Amino acid sequence: MAQSEPSTDARPARSAGRPVHPVDERLPALKTAAAGLQHVAAMYAGVVAPPLIVGAAVGLSAGELTFLTCACLFTAGLATFLQTIGFWKIGARLPFVNGVTFAGVAPMTAVAASVEDKSDALPVIYGAVVVAGVLGFFAAPYFSRAVRFFPPVVTGSVITLIGVSLLPVAFGWAQGPDPSAGDYGSRTFLGLAATTLVVVLLLRRFTRGFVKQIAVLLGLVVGTLVAIPFGVTDFGPVATADVVGFPTPFHFGAPQFHLAAILSLCVVMVVSMTESTADMLALGEIVERPADERTIAAGLRADTLGSALSPLFNGFMCSAFAQNIGLVAMTRIRSRYVVATGGGFLVLMGLCPVAASLIAVVPRPVLGGAGVVLFGSVAASGIQTLARAGLEKDNNVLIVAVSLAVGIIPIAAPGFYHAFPETARIVLDSGISTGCVTAVVLNLVFNHLGGGRRNAGEVTHPMEAGEDLTALPAR
């Protein structure tokens, strides 16, 4: 029987006469490989940035930085397998890409700065990641019970916030690789980003079938080729990379366990689990397989188990990558096996540095142009969810308004929480986490506690004038 095309509507595909949800579809090998590579291209910069930053902070050589980067690619692939394929009660079995969470970069560099002997910095970080991962694994089923507090007004706000929070990343990429360089934000860089964006839009508008679905990948290829005459495309990493490499277990030393580092990374784990919960709810809406409590618990187990095992192969804490949600939303390719194939490419890159360097050739401005489409698609999905959230009700409008405002604070005013302790800023500087918590709390206050249920049916506009006080009877 011929394999089915990816579904683009709510109707499930059929296999051997039985309905198959698009999430569980198995596409032809070529399409699976191309779509999986597209996921890798969309998230590659996010995976390699944390090891480059942390590696530089601990004083690694160029060769050791390459080794650390490949190790993080390898562990990201393993974590993606756990999330998409899964086993037992581990893995959301949704098209989720996992990789190094950026939330841990600041705490890990702080840990590195606090260690007197820099050769002990990575072992101390690895020890903290192991403990945080193990504790998170056992806390997953309890943490997942929070899903009951995520009605559409909350999930829509969070999904919108995820997209809005990612857009500055795309804008930063579009301006160039180095914010301190004189050509940062130059017309050349912005032109390359715009060219990539236009190519993606034209392919989405004027092509059909699978070409339309891999428009982002094709846009990255075209943008990279266009960048060559401008000297922006650097093929140096390909020429110097090794063909074969393996992330030797405990290459930088056995884990060391320091209480301060453990507490810091445990806070990061809570932030990561909160964001992963929001991501799973968002993706569940997009693929039309809502993430229930069991799915979220399984997904969080995959995140935390992947994090606990990652230091064995010299990787860092793993979490779901929100940018790939936008790719699923735009392409409508919802098969988890496509993302699992992307995980296979990540493992291959970890074992073959020259393969990893091929993706590194894509200039940052080209990634930025594609990112505008990807991340904007996430925000658009959130708006679609909000459309079903009953925004004609005054309470819900206020919930959305305040939660989005709180979540955007770290984007609009990056130094807003500068007076708070470092540990608190780990949470507060994550707009997704603060916006999510705000939406949950306000939903409880306005729609559940006290007179919330009594007033739920009142339809007003938050900007309408209040009751005429002169018309009230005198007391």
Side-chain angles (χ1 to χ4, degrees):
M1 179 178 178
Q3 288 172 297
S4 58
E5 294 290 328
S7 298
T8 57
D9 54 28
R11 294 174 298 177
R14 291 185 173 273
S15 177
R18 296 190 301 273
V20 175
H21 194 281
V23 169
D24 299 316
E25 282 188 89
R26 295 177 183 268
L27 308 183
L30 182 59
K31 292 185 177 182
T32 298
L37 186 59
Q38 186 171 232
H39 273 283
V40 174
M43 55 86 74
Y44 179 84
V47 174
V48 301
L52 290 176
I53 296 172
V54 176
V58 300
L60 296 184
S61 66
E64 290 175 326
L65 273 177
T66 301
F67 180 91
L68 184 64
T69 302
C70 287
C72 288
L73 289 168
F74 180 79
T75 54
L78 297 182
T80 299
F81 285 145
L82 286 176
Q83 197 66 269
T84 54
I85 305 300
F87 67 95
W88 185 55
K89 297 181 180 180
I90 297 172
R93 294 169 175 81
L94 290 171
F96 248 150
V97 175
N98 271 41
V100 181
T101 174
F102 212 90
V105 171
M108 287 190 293
T109 54
V111 169
S114 67
V115 177
E116 189 170 336
D117 186 352
K118 295 303 179 185
S119 64
D120 291 332
L122 285 176
V124 170
I125 291 172
Y126 290 145
V129 171
V130 169
V131 174
V134 171
L135 292 178
F137 182 85
F138 288 108
Y142 305 100
F143 202 92
S144 67
R145 293 175 184 174
V147 69
R148 69 190 69 180
F149 302 118
F150 285 82
V153 67
V154 174
T155 56
S157 300
V158 173
I159 296 169
T160 303
L161 195 54
I162 291 172
V164 172
S165 297
L166 287 171
L167 280 171
V169 176
F171 301 151
W173 288 347
Q175 296 179 81
D178 185 4
S180 63
D183 60 353
Y184 187 71
S186 66
R187 287 177 292 179
T188 298
F189 288 154
L190 296 182
L192 289 173
T195 299
T196 304
L197 174 59
V198 169
V199 169
V200 173
L201 293 176
L202 290 175
L203 289 172
R204 292 289 298 177
R205 174 63 181 86
F206 295 108
T207 61
R208 302 179 62 184
F210 190 63
V211 173
K212 181 177 182 178
Q213 291 172 326
I214 61 169
V216 172
L217 180 61
L218 296 176
L220 293 174
V221 172
V222 172
T224 301
L225 294 175
V226 171
I228 293 176
F230 295 95
V232 178
T233 306
D234 181 14
F235 291 96
V238 179
T240 59
D242 295 329
V243 176
V244 179
F246 184 79
T248 312
F250 301 130
H251 176 81
F252 297 102
Q256 299 179 23
F257 303 96
H258 292 193
L259 181 59
I262 290 172
L263 292 176
S264 180
L265 269 296
C266 281
V267 173
V268 175
M269 178 58 74
V270 173
V271 174
S272 176
M273 292 173 73
T274 302
E275 293 187 353
S276 286
T277 299
D279 290 343
M280 278 183 268
L281 291 168
L283 187 59
E285 291 284 338
I286 290 169
V287 302
E288 298 175 350
R289 178 181 278 182
D292 56 16
E293 185 176 320
R294 180 180 298 179
T295 300
I296 291 175
L300 292 177
R301 288 192 189 99
D303 273 2
T304 52
L305 180 60
S307 296
L309 294 177
S310 188
L312 173 64
F313 298 104
N314 313 285
F316 298 132
M317 187 179 293
C318 295
S319 179
F321 265 50
Q323 49 261 57
N324 292 82
I325 297 175
L327 191 57
V328 174
M330 193 188 74
T331 65
R332 305 299 294 168
I333 299 178
R334 295 176 275 182
S335 172
R336 59 191 173 104
Y337 298 106
V338 164
V339 175
T341 301
F345 282 123
L346 290 172
V347 171
L348 174 63
M349 291 176 181
L351 298 175
C352 181
V354 71
S357 66
L358 288 174
I359 295 293
V361 166
V362 179
R364 198 63 60 86
V366 173
L367 285 173
V372 170
V373 179
L374 297 179
F375 305 157
S377 296
V378 178
S381 296
I383 294 171
Q384 289 177 329
T385 302
L386 287 174
R388 307 194 304 268
L391 293 187
E392 73 280 0
K393 298 177 181 177
D394 189 13
N395 288 352
N396 288 346
V397 172
L398 291 173
I399 292 168
V400 174
V402 176
S403 59
L404 288 180
V406 171
I408 291 173
I409 286 175
I411 303 171
F416 190 82
Y417 299 111
H418 72 277
F420 286 76
E422 180 71 27
T423 304
R425 292 206 304 271
I426 294 173
V427 179
L428 295 174
D429 285 339
S430 170
I432 296 173
S433 296
T434 55
C436 178
V437 171
T438 301
V440 169
V441 172
L442 290 181
N443 179 62
L444 288 174
V445 171
F446 280 95
N447 290 334
H448 294 278
L449 300 179
R453 289 187 179 276
R454 183 182 70 247
N455 297 328
E458 297 180 0
V459 180
T460 62
H461 191 283
M463 301 306 293
E464 285 180 355
E467 190 175 15
D468 185 0
L469 297 181
T470 61
L472 295 177
R475 293 187 182 275

